[in-house]
Amino acid sequence: MSTINSAGRVVVGVDGSSQSAVATEWAARRALQLGTGLTLVLAMPPLQVPSRGSMMQMLRQSATDFTGKVLAAAQQRLDDAAAEVRAQHPELDVEQALLEDSEPALALVHATRDAALVVSGTRGLGAVKAMALGSVTRHLISHAHGPVAVVPETGTAKDSRASGTVAVGVDDVNHSADTLRAAIEEASLTGGKLLVVHSWEYNPINVEGMPPMDPELFGQVKDNHSAELDAFVRETLKGDPNFQVEVRVTLGDAGEALVGVSHEAELLVVGSRGGSALGGVLLGSTAAHVARNAICPVLVIPRRR
């Protein structure tokens, strides 16, 4: 049994899968970029064992033996992952923690309280259930106290436009300030381009005779939102940045718009919650959709509680 040394460090959940290896390598490079250490975590949920009768006693003994084998295999996966990171990045401070009888989601959420960043893959390794987006990663990005990065199986986008580009999904100034500031910090590191995206969705009541969105109205909405976002971005930048800035307003589903943008970004920054009546970026479900389908790593910034 171990505890996690997460304070000020990059923490990554591992499980021995190829997806986990991609996320771990990304986390290692990120730790170097931030000038901090890396902690690898493998959490093992408790094994449920019957507790009554002679047959149950036999099963408990078998389960104890089996549990020992499972923990030994988990420790080997963790050791192998740490050894690979140390071989690739000998200058990096690497620690590892095997958590017995610990729910992976809860362990990683707890780490977000003081970690510089917690990193997860989009999918995991079957029975270990360490990093499946539908359970652990979804729970993580919904309940995190600090930033979480979700790394896809591809690792990074392949589009030539992606290099140095940081994209960010914003809703309105009341709910997106922290997300935009985080994206600005990332763009400052890359020195490339900041792409600010807002998607406006028109959802008329489903009653016969309700008018569809007409081009003239959308043009007015787009102009108004673009002007508002331009002012919001300039105010948040507080000076001339060392990167290009583009503001893009589109009509349609926010999640789909951001997944499309992920093809032209090195990193996509989103908020875990939103509150706009316009139904834009980002609700928890939208963030989960983006994290599951984006082609580039997604940095999820929790909304202040």
Side-chain angles (χ1 to χ4, degrees):
M1 178 71 175
S2 299
T3 57
I4 303 176
N5 178 16
S6 55
R9 300 170 68 86
V10 173
V11 175
V12 59
V14 302
D15 62 12
S17 66
S18 58
Q19 163 69 89
S20 173
V22 172
T24 301
E25 173 58 22
W26 189 91
R29 295 197 303 269
R30 182 66 173 176
L32 288 171
Q33 187 180 40
L34 295 176
T36 188
L38 176 68
T39 300
L40 282 65
V41 176
L42 198 161
M44 299 295 298
L47 183 64
Q48 300 299 319
V49 182
S51 59
R52 295 182 179 179
S54 58
M55 179 64 73
M56 298 303 99
Q57 178 64 37
M58 183 181 69
L59 287 175
R60 283 203 306 277
Q61 181 60 47
S62 298
T64 299
D65 295 341
F66 177 69
T67 299
K69 293 178 181 178
V70 170
L71 290 176
Q75 184 66 61
Q76 187 61 57
R77 289 176 183 170
L78 186 59
D79 291 344
D80 290 346
E84 179 65 21
V85 173
R86 293 186 179 105
Q88 294 295 324
H89 308 283
E91 71 279 29
L92 182 61
D93 172 22
V94 179
E95 295 187 6
Q96 60 193 75
L98 175 64
L99 305 182
E100 300 176 31
D101 296 333
S102 177
E103 293 294 341
L106 297 180
L108 293 178
V109 168
H110 182 75
T112 65
R113 292 182 179 276
D114 60 3
L117 178 67
V118 173
V119 181
S120 165
T122 53
R123 294 175 178 83
L125 186 65
V128 174
K129 296 181 180 178
M131 304 309 299
L133 183 67
S135 55
V136 173
T137 306
R138 174 181 278 272
H139 184 89
L140 174 60
I141 64 177
S142 297
H143 298 279
H145 303 277
V148 172
V150 181
V151 181
E153 293 174 290
T154 52
T156 58
K158 306 303 181 185
D159 193 308
S160 60
R161 295 172 296 174
S163 181
T165 298
V166 175
V168 56
V170 301
D171 193 349
D172 59 27
V173 296
N174 295 321
H175 299 101
S176 299
D178 290 345
T179 306
L180 180 58
R181 279 192 288 267
I184 290 172
E185 292 179 6
E186 296 297 330
S188 297
L189 292 174
T190 65
K193 177 181 178 181
L194 176 67
L195 175 58
V196 183
V197 180
H198 175 89
S199 187
W200 188 72
E201 189 170 13
Y202 176 60
N203 290 314
I205 299 173
N206 188 23
V207 176
E208 185 177 354
M210 288 297 291
M213 171 63 72
D214 64 80
E216 182 178 355
L217 176 57
F218 174 63
Q220 294 173 359
V221 171
K222 181 177 180 180
D223 290 344
N224 288 340
H225 278 307
S226 295
E228 181 179 306
L229 287 178
D230 278 332
F232 178 38
V233 172
R234 285 197 302 271
E235 180 181 354
T236 308
L237 284 171
K238 300 183 185 306
D240 295 328
N242 63 343
F243 48 82
Q244 300 176 12
V245 179
E246 177 187 345
V247 174
R248 186 182 300 175
V249 177
T250 64
L251 177 65
D253 178 75
E256 292 303 322
L258 291 174
V259 169
V261 166
S262 73
H263 288 262
E264 51 184 293
E266 187 173 295
L267 181 71
L268 174 57
V269 184
V270 300
S272 60
R273 292 174 179 83
S276 171
L278 295 178
V281 183
L282 280 164
L283 298 175
S285 59
T286 301
H289 174 80
V290 173
R292 181 173 60 249
N293 295 289
I295 199 71
C296 72
V298 176
L299 178 62
V300 182
I301 306 299
R303 180 181 169 188
R304 292 181 182 178
R305 293 174 172 81

